Amino acid sequence: MRKLLELNNFDICKIFKRLDDLGASSLGEDADMFGDTLEEAIQCGPRTHDLPFKLQTIAELRTLLACSDAEIDHITWALIRIDPTVEPEEPPNWGSFPSLRAFWSAVLHAFEHDPEVQETKGS
């Protein structure tokens, strides 16, 4: 497999299919439609998908977070249409994260702590 930093956007989206889906919805350029803050948009992701999607997303997020910061930067811009590390002017008080790793960690936390996912851990 080629190094992640050498992959083009199309290949990245094929590898991270569920994260690409999130980039087209709750983490897309209209993420503010899913919440008044970035944190609310993140929390919306698990609520709008079924259990198999959630579990696949968790696996992809764990793979992504095992990457270097440079790889996470490269991969992120293929997957989402917002910059979660800057405070935009619109919408006001949207929120931001100190790094892309922190952002994706928050997304992972939201999916791992989804009630439906938690039920599978008790089984």
Side-chain angles (χ1 to χ4, degrees):
M1 185 166 131
R2 295 185 330 198
K3 291 184 179 183
L4 289 173
L5 291 174
E6 297 174 2
L7 295 178
N8 63 36
N9 289 359
F10 178 77
D11 291 333
I12 290 168
C13 291
K14 282 180 19 184
I15 292 169
F16 296 97
K17 293 176 185 173
R18 298 301 165 233
L19 298 182
D20 184 43
D21 289 342
L22 289 177
S25 61
S26 59
L27 302 178
E29 60 189 46
D30 293 328
D32 59 328
M33 292 175 46
F34 291 86
D36 293 330
T37 68
L38 182 54
E39 187 62 38
E40 289 171 349
I42 290 170
Q43 295 301 318
C44 186
R47 292 192 303 255
T48 58
H49 293 94
D50 62 11
L51 183 60
F53 182 96
K54 294 173 191 179
L55 296 175
Q56 292 166 358
T57 301
I58 289 168
E60 288 182 15
L61 285 163
R62 288 179 178 158
T63 299
L64 177 66
L65 289 167
C67 295
S68 71
D69 288 343
E71 290 169 326
I72 290 174
D73 288 354
H74 178 68
I75 293 165
T76 295
W77 306 126
L79 299 174
I80 61 175
R81 286 32 160 207
I82 60 171
D83 185 348
T85 63
V86 299
E87 182 69 47
E89 292 181 23
E90 291 294 327
N93 303 317
W94 176 244
S96 63
F97 286 84
S99 68
L100 293 173
R101 183 175 297 281
F103 168 75
W104 289 117
S105 293
V107 175
L108 176 61
H109 184 270
F111 274 88
E112 286 181 330
H113 290 86
D114 177 78
E116 192 175 22
V117 171
Q118 289 294 308
E119 284 180 24
T120 66
K121 292 182 180 184
S123 306

